[in-house]
Amino acid sequence: MKKIILYTVLIIFLMVGIPLIILGGIGSGIKIPGIINQLVDVIPDSPKDSSAGEVLKIKVYDVRKVIELNFEDYIKGVVAAEVPALFEEEALKAQAIAARTFAAANMKAFGGVGCKNYPEADACSVVHCQAWISKGDRFKNWDAENAVNYWNRISNAVESTNGMVLVYNGELARYIKYHSTSGGKTEDSVNVFNNKIPYLVSVESLGEDISPKFTSTVMIRREEFIKKMRSLSTKIKISSNNLGAQIKIIDRTEGDRVKSIKIGDKTFTGIDIRWAFSLNSADFTVKVDSKYVVFSVKGNGHGVGLSQFGANAMARSGKKYDEILKHYYQGVTIEKLEELNKKK
Ligand SMILES: [Zn+2]
């Protein structure tokens, strides 16, 4: 009789209990991630639930909700979103350390302010903070044959630099910036973010012609150009006659980007013009023909800090991750976050 009861209980458990647990119904303390991060490891609800002891977590705002991720897993998702998996190993490592430093500096647990767009999160999953993609979504965009290999490359880069961050003057380097392609020279932070940071100065960045966006061209119809300029500056005096003579680059920054440009009777920054005409960067020249205003653009992104394609070029020429990082972030050292926090 006892056996029958036992079997009945077991069968009921198999039929009802297990599906309930799988669906996350009963208070198992386990969060089943939504569609957006299907393959990300299951994350416990609170740090106390973790079997791995103290796990650093980051709250990420993605698809209108905040999700909690193990800190190092989050870094993997950033590297996966930010650079191609087939980048050189040393470039992936450099990217991992730059991403980790940025994330650590923003984390509220370390005195950061989190994401300014989503104050409830340490970071958002888009360029505003750093691009981040779940493992599941990343796998969907890769061909199935190579996906595991690609993921392993990223995973290894993050794990082999576990906890490493950039340090300046004994402190976490809190203003880490990076971008896709500098176009040959990075930019001083002061020219883009109005913030003079000793390690974010202009440096040469060679070999970037491997980037698909090393150069680009944007053509705007003359009348569209004039219309846009009038929307940027309602009092501008600009006419279609002799338009070319009314556009003049006045000066350039240390990083060769347009600092100021006179259009009509008004002066604009290169960054204003970059955004107005969706240029890849503020490093451009401009010509006018009978129909179009033609922008020839170098690089992709704001140009400050590490250039991802420049880092890959350095790695190809045999440079190690620390050499790459010390080139793009002048005067930094690399330390373990844990050690750095202990000193405080
Ligand atoms: Zn953000």
Side-chain angles (χ1 to χ4, degrees), residues 61 102 106 114-118 121-130:
Y61 190 92
F102 179 93
N106 274 10
C115 167
K116 285 176 187 155
N117 282 356
Y118 303 104
D122 291 306
C124 66
S125 61
V126 293
V127 181
H128 174 259
C129 288
Q130 311 188 90

Side-chain angles (χ1 to χ4, degrees), residues 69-327:
L69 294 171
N70 167 290
F71 186 72
E72 291 292 325
D73 284 342
Y74 164 74
I75 304 302
K76 289 180 187 178
V78 174
V79 176
E82 284 284 351
V83 285
L86 284 176
F87 259 26
E88 299 290 327
E89 203 182 324
E90 296 299 314
L92 293 176
K93 287 184 197 168
Q95 174 67 65
I97 295 170
R100 188 181 291 112
T101 309
F102 179 93
N106 274 10
M107 276 184 78
K108 293 171 188 170
F110 298 147
V113 294
C115 167
K116 285 176 187 155
N117 282 356
Y118 303 104
E120 66 272 42
D122 291 306
C124 66
S125 61
V126 293
V127 181
H128 174 259
C129 288
Q130 311 188 90
W132 172 86
I133 190 167
S134 70
K135 190 177 175 182
D137 281 351
R138 183 73 278 191
F139 268 59
K140 279 184 217 156
N141 302 333
W142 279 333
D143 58 284
E145 207 179 313
N146 293 312
V148 171
N149 171 39
Y150 289 167
W151 186 259
N152 287 343
R153 291 177 63 84
I154 286 161
S155 200
N156 290 343
V158 174
E159 283 168 19
S160 64
T161 61
N162 184 286
M164 290 183 197
V165 288
L166 298 170
V167 172
Y168 186 84
N169 254 350
E171 300 270 345
L172 185 69
R174 303 195 78 88
Y175 299 96
I176 287 304
K177 299 283 179 189
Y178 56 84
H179 61 280
S180 160
T181 308
S182 80
K185 223 174 177 188
T186 70
E187 187 56 277
D188 192 304
S189 170
V190 78
N191 295 321
V192 181
F193 301 107
N194 220 357
N195 201 352
K196 187 79 189 159
I197 306 294
Y199 46 88
L200 295 179
V201 293
S202 177
V203 296
E204 270 206 324
S205 187
L206 303 175
E208 290 193 5
D209 48 347
I210 55 173
S211 165
K213 290 184 176 167
F214 183 60
T215 58
S216 54
T217 305
V218 172
M219 297 169 78
I220 316 281
R221 286 194 165 274
R222 291 170 65 119
E223 55 273 29
E224 280 298 311
F225 178 83
I226 291 169
K227 207 172 134 191
K228 186 61 141 181
M229 292 316 302
R230 286 188 175 135
S231 76
L232 274 189
S233 172
T234 47
K235 288 181 180 161
I236 192 171
K237 284 183 184 134
I238 188 167
S239 76
S240 189
N241 296 329
N242 208 5
L243 184 59
Q246 299 168 66
I247 304 171
K248 195 172 180 290
I249 291 168
I250 300 169
D251 52 5
R252 287 184 178 268
T253 62
E254 293 94 321
D256 286 341
R257 282 147 187 87
V258 174
K259 193 168 189 177
S260 54
I261 178 170
K262 195 167 182 196
I263 301 176
D265 64 337
K266 302 279 185 228
T267 302
F268 301 86
T269 66
I271 293 170
D272 289 339
I273 300 306
R274 177 193 173 197
W275 293 122
F277 297 102
S278 305
L279 310 179
N280 281 340
S281 90
D283 184 354
F284 58 83
T285 57
V286 52
K287 275 185 184 155
V288 180
D289 65 23
S290 60
K291 280 187 181 164
Y292 294 98
V293 175
V294 183
F295 291 97
S296 301
V297 186
K298 270 175 88 181
N300 184 26
H302 52 59
V304 180
L306 176 137
S307 156
Q308 291 164 332
F309 277 90
N312 201 40
M314 283 185 77
R316 278 191 189 179
S317 72
K319 296 284 191 289
K320 298 289 175 206
Y321 69 88
D322 54 326
E323 295 173 285
I324 296 169
L325 290 164
K326 285 171 184 173
H327 173 69

